[in-house]
Amino acid sequence: MKDPYEVLGVPRDATADEIKSAYRRLARTYHPDVNPNDPTAEEKFKEVGEAYAILSDPEKRARYDRFGTAEEQPVGPFFNGAGGIEDIFEMFFGTGFQTQNRRRGRDGEDLRADVTISLSEVVTGTQREVRVRRQSQCPECMGSGSEGGRPPETCAHCRGAGTISQIRQTFIGTVRTSTTCPKCGGAGQVITSPCRRCHGQGLVTENARVSVHIPAGIESGSTIHIPGQGSDGVGMGRPGDLYVVVLVEDDPRFERQGRNLLGYLNLSFPTACLGGEVTVEGLDGPVRLTIPPGTQAGTVLAIAGAGLPPLHGGRRGDLLVEVNVEVPRHLTEEQKRLVRQLDQALRGEAPPTEEEGFLAKLFRKKK
Ligand SMILES: [Zn+2]
Ligand SMILES: [Zn+2]
């Protein structure tokens, strides 16, 4: 459509009088009776008339200024620009009710399965089979629900449309709504002789095994999403998804701290004093740990790379070993004598007798 202002040759802020006089002048110029030999005149005359019809009507003129067309807008300014009635509906009423009709069917259910793995399996990642009880397409009728796979008949209620249309008045104006046909549930077709295996449902219950890859470094309680491995849909509906929740078994030897593992180690008094090499049981085999001489109780020693890998690859964490120094509880007379001898050597003087005791200073622990 041509710009009516351009056709009449008037500015956009032209007054009603200016528009009227421009129209009269042009109408006289292009009138077919005045120009019997000019074939374009009639076309021009029509254009001028249409332009005047818009600009002489304040309502149509306002609409043209706003929307670029004088056509009546079905439900107001929301329809300006792209999008259609579906977008507007999704805006006001949510997406749910349209989706079913469009796809002609029902989506399959999402399912959940739990799997428990050991802490060692977190190091390497693992493959597991989970059992799921799901609804799957009936093999007898290929999911059609109709005996022998016979094609279903067109629904008489909605004449195959799957939807029933209604004109409604709403706060945004007159709108046409579609609701799912109650007879056929939106399928547009009805089954006259239902399949005996699935009773016309198109779905049967089956116990399936689904292989799941569990990545290294996974945290306990994480969910693995496997699209399409839930229950099958009906008709054109999509299959649901499977969500596998992974639990990591507690390991009595280690406390998990993200990528690091923490374990406790009892050291003998002499080893703590003198230092030495010990072998500790790591998550994936024995690992050597060097004890520096004079190691105090509560010291945390790290074995680099003996922890867990991060989820998306990278360097493994550490195995942290917190040291406890064991004090012998029961000593023979000979052992007691040796300890007293050691005490004396360390002090450089004779230790106090049991009766005397000794004066010891208290201190506050640094925080
Ligand atoms: Zn129907
Ligand atoms: Zn069946």
Side-chain angles (χ1 to χ4, degrees):
M1 199 186 94
K2 282 192 178 170
D3 181 349
Y5 292 101
E6 222 167 83
V7 173
L8 294 186
V10 293
R12 299 192 84 84
D13 58 354
T15 64
D17 283 343
E18 284 170 334
I19 288 165
K20 194 187 244 177
S21 68
Y23 166 69
R24 284 197 174 146
R25 183 171 46 80
L26 291 168
R28 271 198 301 273
T29 312
Y30 294 118
H31 198 284
D33 292 348
V34 184
N35 305 279
N37 301 319
D38 183 356
T40 64
E42 193 175 337
E43 190 60 36
K44 287 242 174 74
F45 182 73
K46 246 180 85 185
E47 265 177 27
V48 168
E50 282 167 358
Y52 182 66
I54 292 166
L55 298 188
S56 61
D57 180 332
E59 213 175 284
K60 285 184 182 169
R61 185 179 175 182
R63 215 152 38 216
Y64 179 83
D65 289 344
R66 187 160 180 187
F67 301 116
T69 169
E71 294 296 313
E72 216 165 303
Q73 299 301 303
V75 292
F78 295 114
F79 278 84
N80 194 14
I85 189 127
E86 284 162 14
D87 291 344
I88 302 299
F89 264 106
E90 289 183 357
M91 222 158 94
F92 287 102
F93 306 106
T95 55
F97 88 106
Q98 280 278 355
T99 339
Q100 286 238 314
N101 299 344
R102 231 183 270 152
R103 271 201 251 103
R104 292 287 181 91
R106 180 161 51 81
D107 288 347
E109 265 182 319
D110 290 340
L111 299 175
R112 174 191 161 151
D114 290 356
V115 64
T116 304
I117 64 167
S118 69
L119 194 57
S120 307
E121 287 174 302
V122 175
V123 176
T124 50
T126 185
Q127 198 79 18
R128 279 296 169 83
E129 263 194 355
V130 294
R131 289 154 177 261
V132 286
R133 196 173 161 78
R134 68 178 173 198
Q135 300 289 102
S136 61
Q137 199 179 67
C138 173
E140 213 68 54
C141 61
M142 303 305 283
S144 70
S146 191
E147 186 64 41
R150 225 171 291 131
E153 286 173 16
T154 303
C155 173
H157 193 66
C158 62
R159 292 189 206 91
T163 56
I164 310 287
S165 297
Q166 279 179 301
I167 306 290
R168 286 204 304 153
Q169 294 296 328
T170 75
F171 68 97
I172 55 164
T174 305
V175 288
R176 200 170 143 267
T177 61
S178 298
T179 50
T180 305
C181 171
K183 232 351 176 258
C184 61
Q189 296 173 322
V190 284
I191 293 156
T192 43
S193 52
C195 167
R196 266 171 286 180
R197 172 99 183 253
C198 63
H199 308 289
Q201 299 300 301
L203 295 174
V204 290
T205 304
E206 68 157 7
N207 290 308
R209 287 164 178 273
V210 179
S211 190
V212 187
H213 170 69
I214 299 165
I218 196 160
E219 292 277 350
S220 191
S222 303
T223 302
I224 297 171
H225 177 205
I226 308 171
Q229 290 291 337
S231 281
D232 279 335
V234 176
M236 302 287 278
R238 289 177 305 191
D241 298 342
L242 174 62
Y243 293 89
V244 178
V245 179
V246 179
L247 299 167
V248 180
E249 232 169 9
D250 265 342
D251 190 306
R253 301 166 298 173
F254 308 105
E255 203 172 287
R256 187 172 181 178
Q257 294 180 339
R259 270 197 287 165
N260 295 336
L261 294 173
L262 176 65
Y264 295 88
L265 175 67
N266 283 326
L267 280 187
S268 72
F269 176 66
T271 310
C273 285
L274 305 172
E277 289 284 316
V278 293
T279 301
V280 300
E281 197 187 351
L283 189 54
D284 46 356
V287 271
R288 299 284 284 171
L289 175 63
T290 303
I291 311 291
T295 294
Q296 306 294 310
T299 301
V300 178
L301 302 168
I303 305 171
L308 299 171
L311 187 56
H312 300 293
R315 203 187 71 82
R316 276 176 70 172
D318 302 337
L319 173 55
L320 305 174
V321 179
E322 187 172 328
V323 170
N324 175 46
V325 178
E326 271 184 320
V327 176
R329 288 172 197 275
H330 307 289
L331 296 179
T332 63
E333 284 308 313
E334 171 63 4
Q335 288 165 335
K336 282 182 189 170
R337 194 185 60 77
L338 289 168
V339 173
R340 280 196 205 101
Q341 205 180 327
L342 174 65
D343 190 22
Q344 186 170 3
L346 291 173
R347 282 169 196 277
E349 61 183 64
T353 62
E354 275 178 43
E355 295 78 48
E356 283 173 350
F358 55 88
L359 183 67
K361 283 177 185 164
L362 300 180
F363 65 95
R364 276 166 55 161
K365 202 170 180 178
K366 277 176 194 156
K367 281 180 185 164

